[in-house]
Amino acid sequence: LQRMRHGDLELALAAAERLVELYPERGAAYDVRARVKEERQELKSALADAERALALAPETPVHWITACRLRSLTGDHAGALLAARRAMELAPESLLARRSLAVELGIGGQLRESAELLEEVVARDPSDAAAWLNLAGATRSSAPRRAIEAATRARELSEDPAIVRAAWVNEAVAQERLKERALALEAYGRALNVDPDLAVGLQNRARLLLQLERYEEARRDLERTQRLAPDDPATWRWSHELYARTGPPAEATRCLRRWIELEVDLARLQKLTKKLCGGRRPDLVHGEMALSRLLALQPDEPLGLLNRGLVRKLRGEVAGARRDWERFLELYPERTEAARVRAMLGRLGR
């Protein structure tokens, strides 16, 4: 671990491998190797070591904390939350366990609970820059002035570029909540001064520039974001918004399709579907595409089946509408919409 802290990851890994060879039945050996591999961005292999450490020493809190972090980094947030809660059970006074749980609660949208835990952490250890940063993230929407205080404190305590840039982003979001758009733009600029390739900073600044109708500046940020984060739905969401306002229409359509393909937020897809299928000039082609994406993420979601059937009927795709509505009745015969669906199916047969 000392070699890792000094940046010599090759020697650190060699030492960790030797440790596992010497002590193959000790969880601590695998935990050390997991942390070295994490630093090397070998996340799947690191997680396997963390899980092995848990199997060998399931009552050791630090192993649960390592597993929590690696599960989160590999996308298993439910598993990470379970690990954080177990660490808290084993070491209820541990600030690291408390912060780990707070982070996972924040990722899961439980921001109030996350903020409460983080307030306890910074009260007991005011020098914990990461805790101040996480507190800024947890409060930037609900208590923006507190978030600005926390972000400022994080920057005062740490020169780590990752902490500094994230603190500026959190402060920028908080300034937006306070309607201080000029200060928000300045904060996003500060974050991008630290890391010019920070995709979330570019995306958020572009979104704010769109609100201010500063389209050329937004375009420059979004063109960079498309190169830096081509698989992030936010890149294409805001690019679509830009080209829908400024043209060309073909580019707006391209960005919309890419956004739908990548979106994973069900609430956002539902809102987009309503927008596409409603109004005086509904876009049924992309409305159906958005509904199909929603159903791919949440198979057999009842309103998704009902609404996609409606869109398909309007587009003349009778067979597709029939499949959706028959599936709806198979799964949800007692729902209040079932009578309406039966009536629509009856009319399809005429």
Side-chain angles (χ1 to χ4, degrees), residues 69-110:
R69 190 171 60 252
L70 286 163
R71 287 175 182 179
S72 185
L73 288 170
T74 53
D76 180 10
H77 295 296
L81 184 57
L82 288 173
R85 291 193 186 282
R86 182 58 179 150
M88 279 286 290
E89 291 171 2
L90 292 168
E93 297 304 313
S94 167
L95 293 181
L96 184 56
R98 197 170 293 268
R99 175 151 59 85
S100 298
L101 177 57
V103 168
E104 291 309 314
L105 288 170
I107 290 172
Q110 300 178 61

Side-chain angles (χ1 to χ4, degrees), residues 113-329:
E113 296 87 343
S114 176
E116 289 173 357
L117 283 171
L118 290 164
E119 290 286 9
E120 294 177 20
V121 173
V122 298
R124 289 172 56 188
D125 182 6
S127 66
D128 188 338
W132 284 107
L133 174 65
N134 293 328
L135 179 59
T139 57
R140 65 188 192 180
S141 295
S142 60
R145 296 190 190 281
R146 179 56 170 160
I148 293 168
E149 293 173 359
T152 301
R153 189 69 181 130
R155 292 194 301 271
E156 291 171 348
L157 289 167
S158 177
E159 295 181 356
D160 182 342
I163 288 180
V164 173
R165 73 191 185 195
W168 279 118
V169 169
N170 283 330
E171 179 166 331
V173 174
Q175 295 288 9
E176 286 192 73
R177 294 289 291 183
L178 295 170
K179 309 298 183 186
E180 296 286 357
R181 291 177 171 177
L183 292 176
L185 281 177
E186 180 184 350
Y188 285 130
R190 294 286 191 94
L192 290 164
N193 286 340
V194 176
D195 182 358
D197 293 336
L198 183 63
V200 69
L202 290 165
Q203 290 164 349
N204 285 1
R205 187 170 69 177
R207 171 181 49 74
L208 183 52
L209 289 167
L210 284 171
Q211 293 175 15
L212 297 170
E213 299 184 353
R214 292 162 59 173
Y215 296 131
E216 284 307 311
E217 294 169 82
R219 188 190 308 274
R220 287 195 293 271
D221 279 353
L222 289 167
E223 286 175 351
R224 288 187 61 204
T225 307
Q226 288 178 21
R227 294 192 295 272
L228 293 167
D231 295 326
D232 187 334
T235 294
W236 303 101
R237 178 187 179 192
W238 300 118
S239 295
H240 166 67
E241 181 70 20
L242 169 68
Y243 293 115
R245 295 187 189 189
T246 67
E251 189 64 12
T253 297
R254 182 182 76 87
C255 293
L256 173 61
R257 296 179 73 87
R258 187 66 177 143
W259 171 22
I260 293 171
E261 289 169 359
L262 294 169
E263 187 58 76
V264 295
D265 186 301
L266 296 177
R268 192 168 290 134
L269 278 169
Q270 289 167 343
K271 184 177 180 180
L272 174 61
T273 298
K274 185 176 181 180
K275 178 181 177 182
L276 290 170
C277 296
R280 299 175 65 181
R281 299 178 62 184
D283 182 349
L284 298 180
V285 172
H286 293 106
E288 181 181 347
M289 185 178 177
L291 283 163
S292 294
R293 175 62 176 163
L294 188 152
L295 287 165
L297 294 169
Q298 191 174 9
D300 297 327
E301 196 277 327
L303 294 182
L305 287 170
L306 172 59
N307 290 328
R308 188 172 66 177
L310 286 168
V311 170
R312 285 176 165 174
K313 178 179 179 295
L314 290 171
R315 295 188 64 205
E317 298 176 6
V318 175
R322 185 184 302 280
R323 284 195 302 272
D324 281 342
W325 289 341
E326 287 177 347
R327 182 64 173 165
F328 179 96
L329 291 175

Side-chain angles (χ1 to χ4, degrees), residues 31-106:
D31 187 83
V32 168
R33 191 168 69 176
R35 284 187 272 170
V36 173
K37 288 179 178 178
E38 177 187 354
E39 194 70 19
R40 290 165 57 90
Q41 294 299 303
E42 299 171 8
L43 298 181
K44 289 185 178 179
S45 181
L47 178 58
D49 276 345
E51 300 292 356
R52 178 62 177 159
L54 284 179
L56 291 168
E59 301 303 311
T60 305
V62 71
H63 297 347
W64 286 102
I65 292 170
T66 301
C68 167
R69 190 171 60 252
L70 286 163
R71 287 175 182 179
S72 185
L73 288 170
T74 53
D76 180 10
H77 295 296
L81 184 57
L82 288 173
R85 291 193 186 282
R86 182 58 179 150
M88 279 286 290
E89 291 171 2
L90 292 168
E93 297 304 313
S94 167
L95 293 181
L96 184 56
R98 197 170 293 268
R99 175 151 59 85
S100 298
L101 177 57
V103 168
E104 291 309 314
L105 288 170

